[in-house]
């Protein structure tokens, strides 16, 4: 499920330049990056360079994403993303 969510966020970031999607990817990779010795600041710098989002803006969005722990909100977001993914794949109902 995590890989699918990351792929959806990556597609949104690439297609629309969505800063929230980039922040979500950054938060998702934080633990893995730390495992190979990469700080979150360095990870944000890398994402900032790749997607053209100022580091300060990305840092603020990452903080907001971290504070957003509301299960109902996350469930709605997952449902919305799943519907968006289904639509992009042109799957029959």
């Amino acid at each position: 499920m995590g890989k699918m969510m990351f792929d959806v966020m990556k597609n949104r970031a690439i297609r629309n330049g969505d800063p929230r999607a980039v922040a979500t990817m950054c938060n998702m990779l934080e633990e893995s990056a730390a495992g190979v010795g990469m700080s979150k600041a360095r990870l944000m710098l890398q994402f900032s360079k790749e997607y053209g989002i100022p580091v300060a803006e990305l840092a603020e969005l990452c903080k907001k994403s971290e504070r957003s722990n509301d299960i109902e909100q996350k469930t709605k977001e997952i449902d919305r993303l799943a519907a968006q993914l289904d639509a992009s794949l042109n799957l029959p109902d």
Side-chain angles (χ1 to χ4, degrees):
M1 185 68 156
K3 182 183 179 329
M4 183 177 87
M5 177 76 152
F6 186 85
D7 287 343
V8 169
M9 292 295 113
K10 182 174 73 172
N11 286 336
R12 287 178 70 187
I14 291 169
R15 286 184 190 166
N16 308 326
D18 184 348
R20 288 183 179 268
V22 176
T24 300
M25 290 189 311
C26 190
N27 285 339
M28 291 176 80
L29 290 180
E30 180 180 6
E31 189 175 318
S32 298
V36 296
M38 181 183 247
S39 68
K40 183 162 185 180
R42 180 134 173 116
L43 182 64
M44 283 193 288
L45 181 61
Q46 178 64 35
F47 273 95
S48 179
K49 287 179 181 179
E50 284 184 38
Y51 295 98
I53 298 166
V55 175
E57 179 183 349
L58 185 55
E60 184 61 32
L61 288 169
C62 284
K63 287 179 193 174
K64 288 179 183 177
S65 294
E66 290 168 357
R67 289 188 300 240
S68 176
N69 291 328
D70 182 7
I71 293 173
E72 185 176 313
Q73 181 182 9
K74 287 185 177 185
T75 301
K76 288 178 183 176
E77 179 69 0
I78 289 169
D79 290 344
R80 186 186 67 73
L81 292 172
Q84 183 180 358
L85 180 61
D86 288 346
S88 70
L89 295 173
N90 295 320
L91 296 175
D93 292 333

